[in-house]
Amino acid sequence: MKRSLKVGCFVGILAGVAGIVTAYLIGRVTALWFDQLTWISIGIAAIVTNMAGAIIYSKWFQSAKRPGVYYIVLVSGVTLVMTVNDIVNPPATDFGIVAHPVHIVVALISIWLIPKWLKPIKTVRT
């Protein structure tokens, strides 16, 4: 559990930084800036969701045959729900232009790093 939280936190920090950079670059290109998309909100959301994802993934590793596939489905589903929510209930006009790529970047980093860094540690018996 402790290892899962550490990995989730590290992946969340990396994904948060990537999300912040994505939001900044899109904002620079489109001149769209939103009060809801701050470095704090993106960073905290990325860290919390990746810590939760790491815990879920590590629990699945104990019981599932293909936890990586299930994790991809889970992250994709959550990302889709978040994106659809922004489409249906946008906090501001053109909010999705910045928010949707941020969701995708954070999700892809989570899908890539959580399964990679939470592989079970193999012990060698002598």
Side-chain angles (χ1 to χ4, degrees):
M1 176 81 132
K2 188 175 179 181
R3 182 170 172 254
S4 298
L5 288 174
K6 281 184 184 178
V7 168
C9 186
F10 290 141
V11 172
I13 290 168
L14 293 174
V17 168
I20 291 164
V21 169
T22 301
Y24 176 77
L25 292 175
I26 293 171
R28 291 284 292 176
V29 170
T30 63
L32 293 172
W33 303 102
F34 300 100
D35 292 336
Q36 297 89 345
L37 290 175
T38 64
W39 65 273
I40 294 172
S41 66
I42 295 170
I44 289 173
I47 291 169
V48 169
T49 55
N50 277 290
M51 287 175 73
I55 291 169
I56 292 168
Y57 183 79
S58 65
K59 296 300 178 188
W60 274 344
F61 230 146
Q62 296 170 2
S63 60
K65 290 181 182 177
R66 301 184 70 186
V69 174
Y70 296 142
Y71 189 70
I72 290 170
V73 170
L74 174 70
V75 173
S76 299
V78 170
T79 303
L80 182 63
V81 167
M82 297 291 291
T83 303
V84 169
N85 183 44
D86 284 342
I87 292 169
V88 174
N89 302 311
T93 306
D94 295 330
F95 185 77
I97 293 172
V98 180
H100 299 168
V102 171
H103 290 157
I104 292 168
V105 166
V106 172
L108 289 175
I109 290 173
S110 182
I111 287 170
W112 174 42
L113 292 178
I114 294 286
K116 187 175 185 174
W117 288 356
L118 280 179
K119 288 183 180 174
I121 299 170
K122 295 180 181 177
T123 57
V124 179
R125 295 183 184 193
T126 54

